[in-house]
């Protein structure tokens, strides 16, 4: 490794440390900034994204992120600019400009996260792969550990375990399955990496099986549909070893099912213990949740017809007059079209589509024996994005961060070594300045408006209705 590459590796250590610490602790830690768990999740996300600016103090990072932008397809760059410009125009023209600006600023920071992760992976693929995977798995292990400790303490004290709280509250995930959708297929990977001993493999398998058990306990239909799509993508695009990959994933999923069934049987023998939700809860929700989704879709289509060019404003679906309880349409494409308007919304949808196609094409050059991580990353992305069509998970803090990390990770692994050909040109310097300026502006907007929201949410009484969140916990509340 030459001196320049060594400098880049060290410079990106801080960047990877920030991203990895978020991935590790976000499932189980609430910072206590706001009185509502969902708002705490948002503040934690915004804090992690703001800290990424410290990496820009290093010249090599600034250049690498700029090169990561230039490495994107020209069509993708144009669509990203259309999405951001359309979002800013929509926010300026909306009735709740502060909410709109928060959404657009956060979108800019998620794009920056994607570029930073992509640049870090390009700079030192082995280091980035290892650290990011360890962080994701560590987050899952911490969640599993905290769940079982909390559950067993409740059982030992003779208390009925409330599945909505403390489980979902301490997990800091408003909808648990949306978080799992992006990482379920990654947790088992360390058990199959070269050099792992039998004991290490067994430990990772045990942790992954318990993580799957939690999915059997509280999973949603959307996540199961996403899993089916992810498996179909692997079977359709991977040339060799796809059945071996699928077999490993099925084995750990079935092991999780055994943990779930065993636990459910034990709970059934003790009437004082709260029944495990499981598949039964999915069945019991039945047609009602489907009808609500259809009604939300109709509302979104109505907003698109009424506001085709600039939408109702980013983050402002919940402020419109409609009958259902939810503060967002539970469908990411409909959210983009209704809130950002058709031009910007279509740009966002096209970007997601281009990413999905690019990710799937990388599998044509991959075999399970050669790169099981790449296959699993693409499958995880497919599973999460499919879930977003039914849950709208891209409004959730954890899902947004995981989407940005996975997108940058997949893109960065497919690009060549960093090149310095353009770094001394005037155009490159101007572009680098523009990227940094947008990053600081986005963080400044998020910080300012988040600090304005904090005293308001602290004064909201406990009895005030806690509507389903959008950007903040109070997704249908704009009096601040």
């Amino acid at each position: 490794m030459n001196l320049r590459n060594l400098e880049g590796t060290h410079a990106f250590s801080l960047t990877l440390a920030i991203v990895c610490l978020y991935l590790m602790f976000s499932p189980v830690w609430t910072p206590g900034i706001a009185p509502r768990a969902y708002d705490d999740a948002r503040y934690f996300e915004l804090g992690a994204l703001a800290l990424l600016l410290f990496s820009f103090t290093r010249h090599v990072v600034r250049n690498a992120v700029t090169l990561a932008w230039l490495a994107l397809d020209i069509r993708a760059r144009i669509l990203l600019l259309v999405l951001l410009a359309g979002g800013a125009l929509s926010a300026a023209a909306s009735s709740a400009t502060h909410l709109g600006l928060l959404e657009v600023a956060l979108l800019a920071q998620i794009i920056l996260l994607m570029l930073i992760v992509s640049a870090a992976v390009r700079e030192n693929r082995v280091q980035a792969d290892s650290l990011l995977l360890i962080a994701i798995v560590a987050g899952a292990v911490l969640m599993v550990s905290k769940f079982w400790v909390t559950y067993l303490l409740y059982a030992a004290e003779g208390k009925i375990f409330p599945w909505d709280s403390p489980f979902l509250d301490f997990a800091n995930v408003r909808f648990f399955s949306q978080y799992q959708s992006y990482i379920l297929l990654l947790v088992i990977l360390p058990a199959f990496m070269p050099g792992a001993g039998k004991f290490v493999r067994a430990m990772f398998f045990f942790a992954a099986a318990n993580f799957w058990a939690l999915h059997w306990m509280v999973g949603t239909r959307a996540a199961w549909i996403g899993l089916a799509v992810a498996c179909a993508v692997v079977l359709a695009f991977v040339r060799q070893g796809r059945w071996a990959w699928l077999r490993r994933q099925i084995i750990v999923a079935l092991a999780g099912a055994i943990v779930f069934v065993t636990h459910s049987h034990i709970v059934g023998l003790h009437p004082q213990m709260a029944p495990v939700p499981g598949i039964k809860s999915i069945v019991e929700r039945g047609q009602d949740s489907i009808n609500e989704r259809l009604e939300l879709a109709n509302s979104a289509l109505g907003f698109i017809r009424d506001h085709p060019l600039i939408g109702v404003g980013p983050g402002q679906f919940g402020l419109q007059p409609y009958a259902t309880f939810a503060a967002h349409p539970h469908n990411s494409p409909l959210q983009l079209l209704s809130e950002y308007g058709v031009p910007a919304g279509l740009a966002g949808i096209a970007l997601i589509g281009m990413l999905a196609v690019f990710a799937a094409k990388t599998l044509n050059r991959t075999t399970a024996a050669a790169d099981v991580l790449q296959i699993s990353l693409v499958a995880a992305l497919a599973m999460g994005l499919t879930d977003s069509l039914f849950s709208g998970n891209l409004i959730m803090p954890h899902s947004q961060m995981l989407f940005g990390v996975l997108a940058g990770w997949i893109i960065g692994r497919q690009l060549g070594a960093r090149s310095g050909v353009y770094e001394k040109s005037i155009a490159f310097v101007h572009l680098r300045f523009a990227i940094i300026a947008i990053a600081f502006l986005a963080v400044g907007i998020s910080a300012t408006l988040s600090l304005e929201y904090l005293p308001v949410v602290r004064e909201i009484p406990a009895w005030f209705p806690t509507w389903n969140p959008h950007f903040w916990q109070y997704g249908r509340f704009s009096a601040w």
Side-chain angles (χ1 to χ4, degrees):
M1 181 180 290
N2 60 41
L3 183 61
R4 183 174 184 174
N5 287 339
L6 185 62
E7 180 189 1
T9 298
H10 289 165
F12 274 102
S13 296
L14 172 62
T15 301
L16 288 172
I18 294 169
V19 175
C20 290
L21 286 173
Y22 177 87
L23 295 174
M24 286 176 61
F25 293 107
S26 57
V28 296
W29 182 59
T30 54
I33 297 173
R36 305 297 188 273
Y38 183 83
D39 288 336
D40 271 332
R42 184 68 73 192
Y43 279 108
F44 193 21
E45 175 193 27
L46 293 175
L49 290 171
L51 287 174
L52 288 175
L53 292 184
F54 283 106
S55 63
F56 280 161
T57 59
R58 304 298 297 271
H59 180 75
V60 67
V61 173
R62 297 194 297 269
N63 284 350
V65 171
T66 307
L67 287 168
W69 168 262
L70 290 172
L72 298 176
D73 187 286
I74 181 63
R75 294 168 297 177
R77 282 181 274 159
I78 292 172
L79 290 171
L80 283 169
L81 293 176
V82 170
L83 177 60
L84 288 172
L89 177 62
S90 177
S94 67
S95 59
T97 305
H98 51 297
L99 282 175
L101 290 176
L102 274 170
E103 286 278 356
V104 177
L106 177 58
L107 174 63
Q109 291 174 82
I110 295 298
I111 294 171
L112 180 67
L113 171 66
M114 179 197 72
L115 294 174
I116 287 176
V117 172
S118 173
V121 173
R122 293 175 70 193
E123 203 67 42
N124 190 328
R125 176 171 159 177
V126 174
Q127 178 195 52
D129 282 351
S130 300
L131 292 178
L132 290 171
L133 184 58
I134 289 171
I136 285 175
V137 173
V141 171
L142 285 173
M143 171 171 274
V144 167
S145 301
K146 192 163 187 177
F147 167 77
W148 283 116
V149 169
T150 306
Y151 189 92
L152 292 174
L153 285 175
Y154 267 72
E157 295 173 6
K159 297 178 181 178
I160 300 297
F161 182 80
W163 283 91
D164 288 334
S165 174
F167 177 46
L168 295 184
D169 280 354
F170 82 61
N172 207 8
V173 184
R174 177 70 183 191
F175 298 108
F176 174 66
S177 294
Q178 296 178 2
Y179 165 76
Q180 276 202 317
S181 292
Y182 286 93
I183 68 169
L184 263 173
L185 299 174
L186 301 177
V187 180
I188 190 60
L189 290 188
F192 299 106
M193 291 301 175
K198 291 183 179 179
F199 178 77
V200 173
R201 289 174 183 264
M203 292 300 294
F204 279 114
F205 184 87
F206 178 77
N210 275 272
F211 197 60
W212 268 100
L214 295 185
H215 186 68
W216 284 97
M217 292 177 188
V218 295
T220 63
R221 286 170 291 192
W224 288 111
I225 295 172
L227 176 62
V229 171
C231 292
V233 168
V234 172
L235 292 176
F237 289 96
V238 177
R239 293 178 300 172
Q240 298 177 11
R242 54 187 181 272
W243 290 107
W245 179 90
L246 185 61
R247 183 171 59 252
R248 292 169 177 173
Q249 296 289 352
I250 290 176
I251 288 173
V252 72
L254 291 178
I258 292 172
V259 175
F260 160 65
V261 171
T262 303
H263 177 58
S264 299
H265 177 69
I266 294 173
V267 168
L269 298 177
H270 299 82
Q272 74 278 12
M273 298 177 70
V276 183
I279 304 299
K280 181 181 178 182
S281 66
I282 297 178
V283 176
E284 287 176 347
R285 287 195 293 270
Q287 190 65 31
D288 290 342
S289 62
I290 296 175
N291 291 338
E292 183 183 37
R293 298 295 195 276
L294 293 175
E295 190 169 346
L296 286 168
N298 286 331
S299 298
L301 292 173
F303 300 155
I304 294 169
R305 287 192 297 268
D306 296 338
H307 308 274
L309 293 179
I310 57 174
V312 299
Q316 296 172 55
F317 182 94
L319 303 184
Q320 311 308 310
Y322 60 98
T324 53
F325 184 72
H328 60 98
H330 286 73
N331 178 283
S332 294
L334 286 178
Q335 179 200 336
L336 285 168
L337 291 170
S338 61
E339 293 187 347
Y340 284 68
V342 173
L346 287 177
I349 295 170
L351 282 166
I352 295 174
M354 288 177 65
L355 174 63
V357 171
F358 172 81
K361 285 183 176 179
T362 67
L363 298 183
N364 284 326
R365 305 186 295 271
T366 303
T367 64
D371 201 348
V372 66
L373 177 57
Q374 182 69 16
I375 295 173
S376 301
L377 288 174
V378 175
L381 181 68
M383 183 174 176
L385 288 179
T386 301
D387 179 273
S388 76
L389 298 177
F390 304 94
S391 68
N393 64 40
L394 290 178
I395 73 159
M396 299 298 170
H398 296 70
S399 297
Q400 289 171 340
M401 293 291 283
L402 286 166
F403 173 75
V405 169
L406 289 178
W409 201 350
I410 291 170
I411 293 170
R413 294 181 102 247
Q414 299 304 311
L415 299 177
R418 187 170 64 86
S419 170
V421 175
Y422 307 105
E423 292 180 28
K424 296 185 184 297
S425 69
I426 295 298
F428 184 90
V429 172
H430 289 167
L431 175 61
R432 183 179 63 198
F433 176 80
I435 291 173
I436 295 172
I438 291 172
F440 275 89
L441 177 62
V443 170
I445 291 172
S446 297
T448 301
L449 295 178
S450 297
L451 291 175
E452 287 184 8
Y453 172 77
L454 190 57
V456 176
V457 73
R458 282 177 175 166
E459 295 175 1
I460 295 177
W463 51 261
F464 196 82
T466 55
W467 291 306
N468 287 348
H470 199 324
F471 192 98
W472 299 115
Q473 170 68 48
Y474 297 99
R476 300 184 71 168
F477 178 78
S478 62
W480 61 282

